[in-house]
Amino acid sequence: MSRLSRANLKARESVFARGPDLYRGDIQAACPPDLEECVMALEECCEEAHEVQQLLRNGTRDLPRMSRVLQSERVFALVNDSTIKQYQSSISDELEPAITELIERAEAGLKVLQKKQSQLQAKVEAAQARPLRPTGGTTMAAQKLEQRRLHMLTKQREQLESELEALQDEVADLESSRR
């Protein structure tokens, strides 16, 4: 017991009807029996609260695992072949127009790229057919410009050829998935 609480016990008079008995644990402290009963009742309440807390902990310790177990629920349904075929046909009916449209768009894009390629090929052939005329300083600049242009057209043609191959592969894939 702290010094302050002893001082308070000595300075105050008891509100209980009985007189103070001498408490054997502390010679200077006088403790009335009613106060002792209150302290013992409080200790019993604390022990009960501790036991309830332990019981509650033991009952809820497994809650996170149990909630995870109860959360994951698997359902297996057995379906016959006719139902599966019905759903497959309905899905193919839904997807077939979209696939057809994508194939048409790819073919149209392929035609546009083929036109561009043929135009660029014609330009390259025309540029290669022209004779180079080395007739002075301005013609050298023109030749360099023409060579640069020819080089850019060649690169553009190669790029278009690679795009054409990619589109042809895509059309082939779409046609094979359509079958």
Side-chain angles (χ1 to χ4, degrees), residues 99-114 164 167-168 170-172 174-175 178:
I99 291 172
T100 306
E101 179 188 349
L102 288 173
I103 290 173
E104 289 172 358
R105 287 172 56 190
E107 288 173 350
L110 182 62
K111 288 178 184 176
V112 168
L113 288 175
Q114 286 173 344
L164 175 66
L167 281 173
Q168 286 173 342
E170 188 178 333
V171 167
L174 287 173
E175 287 177 351
R178 187 176 176 191

PDB file of all heavy atoms in Angstrom, residues 99-114 164 167-168 170-172 174-175 178:
ATOM      1  N   ILE A  99     -16.205 -12.186 -85.735  1.00  0.00           N
ATOM      2  CA  ILE A  99     -15.023 -12.734 -86.414  1.00  0.00           C
ATOM      3  C   ILE A  99     -15.077 -12.429 -87.903  1.00  0.00           C
ATOM      4  O   ILE A  99     -14.071 -12.039 -88.513  1.00  0.00           O
ATOM      5  CB  ILE A  99     -14.923 -14.252 -86.156  1.00  0.00           C
ATOM      6  CG1 ILE A  99     -14.589 -14.506 -84.686  1.00  0.00           C
ATOM      7  CG2 ILE A  99     -13.878 -14.898 -87.056  1.00  0.00           C
ATOM      8  CD1 ILE A  99     -14.651 -15.961 -84.276  1.00  0.00           C
ATOM      9  N   THR A 100     -16.253 -12.569 -88.508  1.00  0.00           N
ATOM     10  CA  THR A 100     -16.401 -12.262 -89.935  1.00  0.00           C
ATOM     11  C   THR A 100     -16.072 -10.799 -90.208  1.00  0.00           C
ATOM     12  O   THR A 100     -15.377 -10.473 -91.181  1.00  0.00           O
ATOM     13  CB  THR A 100     -17.844 -12.583 -90.386  1.00  0.00           C
ATOM     14  OG1 THR A 100     -18.146 -13.925 -90.038  1.00  0.00           O
ATOM     15  CG2 THR A 100     -18.011 -12.382 -91.868  1.00  0.00           C
ATOM     16  N   GLU A 101     -16.555  -9.923 -89.353  1.00  0.00           N
ATOM     17  CA  GLU A 101     -16.276  -8.492 -89.525  1.00  0.00           C
ATOM     18  C   GLU A 101     -14.774  -8.210 -89.407  1.00  0.00           C
ATOM     19  O   GLU A 101     -14.214  -7.440 -90.197  1.00  0.00           O
ATOM     20  CB  GLU A 101     -17.034  -7.674 -88.479  1.00  0.00           C
ATOM     21  CG  GLU A 101     -16.786  -6.185 -88.579  1.00  0.00           C
ATOM     22  CD  GLU A 101     -17.391  -5.399 -87.434  1.00  0.00           C
ATOM     23  OE1 GLU A 101     -18.189  -5.960 -86.661  1.00  0.00           O
ATOM     24  OE2 GLU A 101     -17.037  -4.214 -87.310  1.00  0.00           O
ATOM     25  N   LEU A 102     -14.119  -8.848 -88.437  1.00  0.00           N
ATOM     26  CA  LEU A 102     -12.677  -8.643 -88.279  1.00  0.00           C
ATOM     27  C   LEU A 102     -11.905  -9.153 -89.504  1.00  0.00           C
ATOM     28  O   LEU A 102     -10.939  -8.520 -89.949  1.00  0.00           O
ATOM     29  CB  LEU A 102     -12.179  -9.344 -87.012  1.00  0.00           C
ATOM     30  CG  LEU A 102     -12.587  -8.708 -85.692  1.00  0.00           C
ATOM     31  CD1 LEU A 102     -12.183  -9.596 -84.535  1.00  0.00           C
ATOM     32  CD2 LEU A 102     -11.961  -7.328 -85.553  1.00  0.00           C
ATOM     33  N   ILE A 103     -12.342 -10.268 -90.059  1.00  0.00           N
ATOM     34  CA  ILE A 103     -11.675 -10.792 -91.263  1.00  0.00           C
ATOM     35  C   ILE A 103     -11.859  -9.837 -92.424  1.00  0.00           C
ATOM     36  O   ILE A 103     -10.905  -9.553 -93.176  1.00  0.00           O
ATOM     37  CB  ILE A 103     -12.207 -12.202 -91.594  1.00  0.00           C
ATOM     38  CG1 ILE A 103     -11.727 -13.204 -90.539  1.00  0.00           C
ATOM     39  CG2 ILE A 103     -11.787 -12.640 -92.986  1.00  0.00           C
ATOM     40  CD1 ILE A 103     -12.331 -14.578 -90.665  1.00  0.00           C
ATOM     41  N   GLU A 104     -13.064  -9.297 -92.598  1.00  0.00           N
ATOM     42  CA  GLU A 104     -13.322  -8.347 -93.687  1.00  0.00           C
ATOM     43  C   GLU A 104     -12.466  -7.097 -93.528  1.00  0.00           C
ATOM     44  O   GLU A 104     -11.901  -6.584 -94.505  1.00  0.00           O
ATOM     45  CB  GLU A 104     -14.808  -7.986 -93.722  1.00  0.00           C
ATOM     46  CG  GLU A 104     -15.699  -9.117 -94.198  1.00  0.00           C
ATOM     47  CD  GLU A 104     -17.185  -8.815 -94.033  1.00  0.00           C
ATOM     48  OE1 GLU A 104     -17.531  -7.728 -93.501  1.00  0.00           O
ATOM     49  OE2 GLU A 104     -17.993  -9.660 -94.429  1.00  0.00           O
ATOM     50  N   ARG A 105     -12.367  -6.618 -92.281  1.00  0.00           N
ATOM     51  CA  ARG A 105     -11.542  -5.425 -92.039  1.00  0.00           C
ATOM     52  C   ARG A 105     -10.074  -5.708 -92.329  1.00  0.00           C
ATOM     53  O   ARG A 105      -9.361  -4.873 -92.904  1.00  0.00           O
ATOM     54  CB  ARG A 105     -11.725  -4.956 -90.602  1.00  0.00           C
ATOM     55  CG  ARG A 105     -13.089  -4.304 -90.371  1.00  0.00           C
ATOM     56  CD  ARG A 105     -13.380  -4.011 -88.934  1.00  0.00           C
ATOM     57  NE  ARG A 105     -12.374  -3.185 -88.301  1.00  0.00           N
ATOM     58  CZ  ARG A 105     -12.307  -2.945 -87.001  1.00  0.00           C
ATOM     59  NH1 ARG A 105     -13.210  -3.477 -86.193  1.00  0.00           N
ATOM     60  NH2 ARG A 105     -11.374  -2.185 -86.489  1.00  0.00           N
ATOM     61  N   ALA A 106      -9.604  -6.892 -91.954  1.00  0.00           N
ATOM     62  CA  ALA A 106      -8.215  -7.250 -92.209  1.00  0.00           C
ATOM     63  C   ALA A 106      -7.958  -7.360 -93.707  1.00  0.00           C
ATOM     64  O   ALA A 106      -6.910  -6.920 -94.210  1.00  0.00           O
ATOM     65  CB  ALA A 106      -7.873  -8.564 -91.506  1.00  0.00           C
ATOM     66  N   GLU A 107      -8.898  -7.943 -94.455  1.00  0.00           N
ATOM     67  CA  GLU A 107      -8.735  -8.058 -95.906  1.00  0.00           C
ATOM     68  C   GLU A 107      -8.728  -6.689 -96.571  1.00  0.00           C
ATOM     69  O   GLU A 107      -7.939  -6.434 -97.497  1.00  0.00           O
ATOM     70  CB  GLU A 107      -9.840  -8.936 -96.486  1.00  0.00           C
ATOM     71  CG  GLU A 107      -9.678 -10.407 -96.142  1.00  0.00           C
ATOM     72  CD  GLU A 107     -10.857 -11.266 -96.563  1.00  0.00           C
ATOM     73  OE1 GLU A 107     -11.908 -10.702 -96.966  1.00  0.00           O
ATOM     74  OE2 GLU A 107     -10.735 -12.497 -96.504  1.00  0.00           O
ATOM     75  N   ALA A 108      -9.600  -5.780 -96.094  1.00  0.00           N
ATOM     76  CA  ALA A 108      -9.625  -4.416 -96.659  1.00  0.00           C
ATOM     77  C   ALA A 108      -8.302  -3.706 -96.371  1.00  0.00           C
ATOM     78  O   ALA A 108      -7.736  -3.043 -97.256  1.00  0.00           O
ATOM     79  CB  ALA A 108     -10.795  -3.628 -96.079  1.00  0.00           C
ATOM     80  N   GLY A 109      -7.805  -3.852 -95.164  1.00  0.00           N
ATOM     81  CA  GLY A 109      -6.508  -3.249 -94.821  1.00  0.00           C
ATOM     82  C   GLY A 109      -5.386  -3.843 -95.636  1.00  0.00           C
ATOM     83  O   GLY A 109      -4.454  -3.139 -96.057  1.00  0.00           O
ATOM     84  N   LEU A 110      -5.466  -5.135 -95.899  1.00  0.00           N
ATOM     85  CA  LEU A 110      -4.458  -5.814 -96.709  1.00  0.00           C
ATOM     86  C   LEU A 110      -4.465  -5.261 -98.138  1.00  0.00           C
ATOM     87  O   LEU A 110      -3.405  -5.007 -98.728  1.00  0.00           O
ATOM     88  CB  LEU A 110      -4.725  -7.319 -96.707  1.00  0.00           C
ATOM     89  CG  LEU A 110      -3.757  -8.203 -97.467  1.00  0.00           C
ATOM     90  CD1 LEU A 110      -2.363  -8.098 -96.864  1.00  0.00           C
ATOM     91  CD2 LEU A 110      -4.243  -9.634 -97.435  1.00  0.00           C
ATOM     92  N   LYS A 111      -5.665  -5.040 -98.693  1.00  0.00           N
ATOM     93  CA  LYS A 111      -5.757  -4.477-100.041  1.00  0.00           C
ATOM     94  C   LYS A 111      -5.158  -3.080-100.097  1.00  0.00           C
ATOM     95  O   LYS A 111      -4.441  -2.731-101.042  1.00  0.00           O
ATOM     96  CB  LYS A 111      -7.214  -4.434-100.500  1.00  0.00           C
ATOM     97  CG  LYS A 111      -7.777  -5.801-100.825  1.00  0.00           C
ATOM     98  CD  LYS A 111      -9.244  -5.720-101.221  1.00  0.00           C
ATOM     99  CE  LYS A 111      -9.818  -7.109-101.450  1.00  0.00           C
ATOM    100  NZ  LYS A 111     -11.256  -7.061-101.734  1.00  0.00           N
ATOM    101  N   VAL A 112      -5.440  -2.263 -99.082  1.00  0.00           N
ATOM    102  CA  VAL A 112      -4.887  -0.903 -99.038  1.00  0.00           C
ATOM    103  C   VAL A 112      -3.365  -0.960 -98.979  1.00  0.00           C
ATOM    104  O   VAL A 112      -2.662  -0.218 -99.692  1.00  0.00           O
ATOM    105  CB  VAL A 112      -5.465  -0.124 -97.834  1.00  0.00           C
ATOM    106  CG1 VAL A 112      -4.714   1.163 -97.589  1.00  0.00           C
ATOM    107  CG2 VAL A 112      -6.948   0.158 -98.050  1.00  0.00           C
ATOM    108  N   LEU A 113      -2.836  -1.845 -98.162  1.00  0.00           N
ATOM    109  CA  LEU A 113      -1.382  -1.959 -98.055  1.00  0.00           C
ATOM    110  C   LEU A 113      -0.757  -2.482 -99.350  1.00  0.00           C
ATOM    111  O   LEU A 113       0.340  -2.062 -99.730  1.00  0.00           O
ATOM    112  CB  LEU A 113      -1.011  -2.870 -96.875  1.00  0.00           C
ATOM    113  CG  LEU A 113      -1.246  -2.282 -95.483  1.00  0.00           C
ATOM    114  CD1 LEU A 113      -0.959  -3.315 -94.416  1.00  0.00           C
ATOM    115  CD2 LEU A 113      -0.371  -1.053 -95.267  1.00  0.00           C
ATOM    116  N   GLN A 114      -1.442  -3.375-100.016  1.00  0.00           N
ATOM    117  CA  GLN A 114      -0.928  -3.874-101.290  1.00  0.00           C
ATOM    118  C   GLN A 114      -0.890  -2.769-102.339  1.00  0.00           C
ATOM    119  O   GLN A 114       0.052  -2.666-103.131  1.00  0.00           O
ATOM    120  CB  GLN A 114      -1.774  -5.052-101.781  1.00  0.00           C
ATOM    121  CG  GLN A 114      -1.523  -6.330-101.011  1.00  0.00           C
ATOM    122  CD  GLN A 114      -2.476  -7.449-101.394  1.00  0.00           C
ATOM    123  OE1 GLN A 114      -3.515  -7.210-102.010  1.00  0.00           O
ATOM    124  NE2 GLN A 114      -2.120  -8.673-101.022  1.00  0.00           N
ATOM    125  N   LEU A 164       2.420  -6.166 -94.274  1.00  0.00           N
ATOM    126  CA  LEU A 164       1.634  -7.064 -95.122  1.00  0.00           C
ATOM    127  C   LEU A 164       1.752  -8.499 -94.626  1.00  0.00           C
ATOM    128  O   LEU A 164       0.748  -9.212 -94.517  1.00  0.00           O
ATOM    129  CB  LEU A 164       2.104  -6.954 -96.576  1.00  0.00           C
ATOM    130  CG  LEU A 164       1.460  -7.920 -97.568  1.00  0.00           C
ATOM    131  CD1 LEU A 164      -0.027  -7.611 -97.708  1.00  0.00           C
ATOM    132  CD2 LEU A 164       2.162  -7.836 -98.907  1.00  0.00           C
ATOM    133  N   LEU A 167      -0.292  -8.891 -91.456  1.00  0.00           N
ATOM    134  CA  LEU A 167      -1.729  -8.957 -91.741  1.00  0.00           C
ATOM    135  C   LEU A 167      -2.100 -10.286 -92.380  1.00  0.00           C
ATOM    136  O   LEU A 167      -3.157 -10.853 -92.097  1.00  0.00           O
ATOM    137  CB  LEU A 167      -2.145  -7.794 -92.642  1.00  0.00           C
ATOM    138  CG  LEU A 167      -2.332  -6.450 -91.928  1.00  0.00           C
ATOM    139  CD1 LEU A 167      -2.583  -5.348 -92.950  1.00  0.00           C
ATOM    140  CD2 LEU A 167      -3.470  -6.522 -90.948  1.00  0.00           C
ATOM    141  N   GLN A 168      -1.249 -10.811 -93.237  1.00  0.00           N
ATOM    142  CA  GLN A 168      -1.527 -12.114 -93.839  1.00  0.00           C
ATOM    143  C   GLN A 168      -1.541 -13.200 -92.763  1.00  0.00           C
ATOM    144  O   GLN A 168      -2.394 -14.089 -92.800  1.00  0.00           O
ATOM    145  CB  GLN A 168      -0.486 -12.431 -94.915  1.00  0.00           C
ATOM    146  CG  GLN A 168      -0.677 -11.621 -96.180  1.00  0.00           C
ATOM    147  CD  GLN A 168       0.466 -11.823 -97.175  1.00  0.00           C
ATOM    148  OE1 GLN A 168       1.538 -12.286 -96.817  1.00  0.00           O
ATOM    149  NE2 GLN A 168       0.212 -11.452 -98.434  1.00  0.00           N
ATOM    150  N   GLU A 170      -2.294 -12.727 -89.635  1.00  0.00           N
ATOM    151  CA  GLU A 170      -3.505 -12.501 -88.838  1.00  0.00           C
ATOM    152  C   GLU A 170      -4.739 -13.047 -89.550  1.00  0.00           C
ATOM    153  O   GLU A 170      -5.598 -13.680 -88.945  1.00  0.00           O
ATOM    154  CB  GLU A 170      -3.670 -11.004 -88.566  1.00  0.00           C
ATOM    155  CG  GLU A 170      -4.781 -10.680 -87.607  1.00  0.00           C
ATOM    156  CD  GLU A 170      -4.874  -9.188 -87.317  1.00  0.00           C
ATOM    157  OE1 GLU A 170      -3.853  -8.478 -87.421  1.00  0.00           O
ATOM    158  OE2 GLU A 170      -5.977  -8.741 -86.970  1.00  0.00           O
ATOM    159  N   VAL A 171      -4.834 -12.830 -90.858  1.00  0.00           N
ATOM    160  CA  VAL A 171      -5.965 -13.356 -91.636  1.00  0.00           C
ATOM    161  C   VAL A 171      -5.948 -14.879 -91.600  1.00  0.00           C
ATOM    162  O   VAL A 171      -6.978 -15.525 -91.440  1.00  0.00           O
ATOM    163  CB  VAL A 171      -5.918 -12.814 -93.089  1.00  0.00           C
ATOM    164  CG1 VAL A 171      -6.874 -13.588 -93.986  1.00  0.00           C
ATOM    165  CG2 VAL A 171      -6.270 -11.335 -93.100  1.00  0.00           C
ATOM    166  N   ALA A 172      -4.777 -15.468 -91.734  1.00  0.00           N
ATOM    167  CA  ALA A 172      -4.661 -16.929 -91.695  1.00  0.00           C
ATOM    168  C   ALA A 172      -5.097 -17.457 -90.328  1.00  0.00           C
ATOM    169  O   ALA A 172      -5.807 -18.467 -90.235  1.00  0.00           O
ATOM    170  CB  ALA A 172      -3.246 -17.356 -92.006  1.00  0.00           C
ATOM    171  N   LEU A 174      -7.184 -16.002 -88.213  1.00  0.00           N
ATOM    172  CA  LEU A 174      -8.632 -15.827 -88.088  1.00  0.00           C
ATOM    173  C   LEU A 174      -9.380 -16.875 -88.891  1.00  0.00           C
ATOM    174  O   LEU A 174     -10.413 -17.394 -88.455  1.00  0.00           O
ATOM    175  CB  LEU A 174      -9.039 -14.416 -88.529  1.00  0.00           C
ATOM    176  CG  LEU A 174      -8.681 -13.290 -87.561  1.00  0.00           C
ATOM    177  CD1 LEU A 174      -8.969 -11.931 -88.192  1.00  0.00           C
ATOM    178  CD2 LEU A 174      -9.468 -13.438 -86.280  1.00  0.00           C
ATOM    179  N   GLU A 175      -8.888 -17.187 -90.089  1.00  0.00           N
ATOM    180  CA  GLU A 175      -9.545 -18.195 -90.893  1.00  0.00           C
ATOM    181  C   GLU A 175      -9.434 -19.570 -90.261  1.00  0.00           C
ATOM    182  O   GLU A 175     -10.366 -20.356 -90.284  1.00  0.00           O
ATOM    183  CB  GLU A 175      -8.969 -18.204 -92.309  1.00  0.00           C
ATOM    184  CG  GLU A 175      -9.406 -17.018 -93.130  1.00  0.00           C
ATOM    185  CD  GLU A 175      -8.776 -17.003 -94.523  1.00  0.00           C
ATOM    186  OE1 GLU A 175      -7.871 -17.817 -94.789  1.00  0.00           O
ATOM    187  OE2 GLU A 175      -9.202 -16.166 -95.341  1.00  0.00           O
ATOM    188  N   ARG A 178     -11.769 -19.777 -87.373  1.00  0.00           N
ATOM    189  CA  ARG A 178     -13.165 -19.740 -87.835  1.00  0.00           C
ATOM    190  C   ARG A 178     -13.665 -21.142 -88.175  1.00  0.00           C
ATOM    191  O   ARG A 178     -14.828 -21.432 -88.050  1.00  0.00           O
ATOM    192  CB  ARG A 178     -13.241 -18.828 -89.053  1.00  0.00           C
ATOM    193  CG  ARG A 178     -14.611 -18.548 -89.559  1.00  0.00           C
ATOM    194  CD  ARG A 178     -14.520 -17.566 -90.685  1.00  0.00           C
ATOM    195  NE  ARG A 178     -15.810 -17.329 -91.285  1.00  0.00           N
ATOM    196  CZ  ARG A 178     -15.997 -16.696 -92.405  1.00  0.00           C
ATOM    197  NH1 ARG A 178     -14.952 -16.236 -93.065  1.00  0.00           N
ATOM    198  NH2 ARG A 178     -17.198 -16.512 -92.885  1.00  0.00           N
TER     199      ARG A 178
END
